[in-house]
Amino acid sequence: MQQSTGAAPTTAALIPGEQQRLLRHPNLPAFLGSRSLSALAYQMQTVAVGWQIYDLTSSPLALGLVGLAQFLPMVLLVFVSGQVVDRFDRRLIAAICQGLSALCALAFAVASFTHAITPAMIYVLIALFGTAKAFEGPSLQALLPGLVPAALFSRAAALSSSVFQTVTIIGPSAGGLLYGLGAGVVYSIVAAIFALASCSALLIRLRQPPRARDKVTLEAVFGGLRFIRSRPEIMGAISLDMFAVLLGGATAMMPLYARDILHAGPWGLGLLRGAPAVGALGVSIWLARRPIKRHAGLLMFASVAVFGLATIVFGLSTWLPLSALALAVLGGADVVSVVVRSTLVQLRTPDEMRGRVAAVNMLFIGTSNQLGEFRSGTLAAGIGPVAAVVLGGVGTVIVAGLWMRLFPKLRNLQRLDEEVA
């Protein structure tokens, strides 16, 4: 576990200069470039895939199956990927995975240009993409804590989140606009961006700590899960975030809402996809300048409740500006939960276990995102999209209240830097 490098007042006093020093760090720009370019390509591809498969099938269930196809490799590989990330060069793993993502996008482009694309082909390529993500996500998560001192990690995480949210705003809008030129055009650009992300990852020059080379045992494989279960505040934060997005996530329904409820084209889908990132960016910038200093646990629970309420508003809205505003509020609330969770997970985990813990964390995130999309799609096919989204938002609010009782240590969490110390 990383040690605190200073008391909270000292950290606050160093903030302006430290931010500039972080940006001048020889490895942080390369890390941010790799992560942000990968996120940009992912967002563009998500818009194209969502619109394309709904255009081919007009089925909410098909939208859900896209999420399931990406989720299954993550489940099957969660313990393998953690071991790999803890034993080998994390920078190289990220670069290889981003290269594989580029090849998947290139296959999408060729199939689209030749009009050979089918729903089955989309599911297979998304599953391959999910396989790459199963290794890329933990490797990038485990890299960041080694770039900055522990006392400044929450600020570096907020900075990384700001850059991430910026490209998450640009990506869906760009994907929606470029889709007007054809799906193949979008996928070709996505492939090029993933390739650039891979090159950026290779520019990171870290002196890697010695990697474990001992015999792989069941105890080592399941070490990440066991570690999380032994920390109730971490377990509570991860599971709360998982169930909130699993129940309240409405992203799978966005192509349906854009076309059939809000009567907008691909550009409308891009607007909806980018709206959560607008709110998240604003909150990320605020947290970078004013880190959470009191009532971190209560703020996390409040943000999850707001996330659920915003989901309900989105589900009921038939007006595009109101829908976009609800999604912006949703994104802003979500980033508070993300900052608290990521700070707890990253700073309280020993470096030699970060890959395994990050892999389990990615499984929880994948469960909430991709499996949440499958839940939304299947439920919408049965009771209708509006009822499915609203019911999910109500469930999120209920979970926030229930988790406050189940995890008192998380509820009573105060300053994140004090907890790290």
Side-chain angles (χ1 to χ4, degrees):
M1 183 181 297
Q2 293 189 22
Q3 300 297 317
S4 176
T5 58
T10 304
T11 301
L14 291 174
I15 283 170
E18 291 292 346
Q19 273 192 320
Q20 296 178 7
R21 185 166 67 87
L22 288 176
L23 290 173
R24 292 195 301 266
H25 192 283
N27 285 314
L28 190 58
F31 170 83
L32 293 176
S34 178
R35 182 172 186 254
S36 59
L37 287 170
S38 179
L40 175 64
Y42 172 76
Q43 293 295 332
M44 294 175 65
Q45 177 175 281
T46 298
V47 170
V49 169
W51 189 270
Q52 189 173 49
I53 194 146
Y54 192 63
D55 195 41
L56 289 171
T57 65
S58 296
S59 169
L61 180 59
L63 293 171
L65 289 175
V66 170
L68 183 64
Q70 187 172 331
F71 170 73
L72 287 178
M74 193 175 300
V75 175
L76 297 175
L77 296 170
V78 57
F79 298 113
V80 176
S81 62
Q83 283 287 323
V84 170
V85 170
D86 279 339
R87 288 171 172 268
F88 301 100
D89 188 337
R90 294 162 179 169
R91 169 191 65 96
L92 185 59
I93 294 169
I96 292 173
C97 292
Q98 289 161 351
L100 177 59
S101 297
L103 293 177
C104 289
L106 187 60
F108 267 121
V110 172
S112 297
F113 279 129
T114 58
H115 304 288
I117 196 77
T118 64
M121 186 182 299
I122 290 175
Y123 299 141
V124 170
L125 290 174
I126 285 296
L128 290 174
F129 178 76
T131 301
K133 280 293 180 184
F135 290 87
E136 180 195 358
S139 64
L140 289 177
Q141 279 193 28
L143 269 174
L144 181 57
L147 296 178
V148 296
L152 297 175
F153 176 80
S154 62
R155 191 169 297 275
L159 174 62
S160 176
S161 180
S162 298
V163 176
F164 176 82
Q165 299 301 342
T166 299
V167 300
T168 307
I169 295 169
I170 298 170
S173 302
L177 291 173
L178 290 171
Y179 196 90
L181 301 176
V185 174
V186 181
Y187 293 133
S188 298
I189 296 174
V190 165
I193 296 175
F194 270 128
L196 289 175
S198 179
C199 293
S200 184
L202 293 174
L203 294 177
I204 300 174
R205 292 289 181 267
L206 284 178
R207 290 189 300 173
Q208 299 286 343
R211 298 295 179 214
R213 298 296 181 186
D214 52 332
K215 185 178 179 180
V216 177
T217 63
L218 284 178
E219 182 179 0
V221 168
F222 293 100
L225 182 59
R226 187 177 63 253
F227 177 84
I228 290 174
R229 290 183 61 185
S230 69
R231 306 299 196 275
E233 70 280 15
I234 296 179
M235 184 66 185
I238 291 178
S239 58
L240 173 63
D241 187 79
M242 180 191 75
F243 280 106
V245 180
L246 175 63
L247 294 173
T251 56
M253 294 297 99
M254 285 184 184
L256 187 153
Y257 266 79
R259 196 185 79 172
D260 298 340
I261 295 178
L262 301 173
H263 306 293
W267 70 270
L269 175 59
L271 177 63
L272 293 179
R273 280 281 185 179
V278 173
L281 176 61
V283 174
S284 296
I285 293 173
W286 175 267
L287 292 177
R289 297 179 61 86
R290 298 178 180 273
I292 297 172
K293 296 182 178 180
R294 296 179 60 192
H295 308 304
L298 288 177
L299 283 173
M300 183 175 187
F301 284 114
S303 69
V304 171
V306 171
F307 181 95
L309 293 173
T311 300
I312 295 172
V313 173
F314 170 77
L316 295 173
S317 173
T318 58
W319 186 38
L320 183 59
L322 177 59
S323 299
L325 177 61
L327 291 173
V329 173
L330 178 151
D334 183 54
V335 83
V336 175
S337 173
V338 169
V339 168
V340 174
R341 171 176 52 81
S342 63
T343 301
L344 288 175
V345 171
Q346 298 284 18
L347 290 186
R348 303 189 72 153
T349 303
D351 182 76
E352 64 272 13
M353 290 189 65
R354 282 201 176 107
R356 282 165 286 173
V357 172
V360 176
N361 187 34
M362 288 297 297
L363 175 61
F364 277 82
I365 295 172
T367 299
S368 60
N369 291 329
Q370 280 75 50
L371 194 58
E373 292 181 7
F374 178 66
R375 180 208 64 84
S376 298
T378 52
L379 193 59
I383 65 176
V386 174
V389 173
V390 171
L391 186 61
V394 172
T396 298
V397 176
I398 294 174
V399 165
L402 181 61
W403 255 237
M404 285 187 70
R405 295 182 60 86
L406 293 177
F407 296 93
K409 189 168 184 180
L410 177 60
R411 182 185 67 232
N412 297 327
L413 185 70
Q414 293 295 319
R415 294 178 62 131
L416 292 173
D417 52 359
E418 289 180 356
E419 291 295 324
V420 170

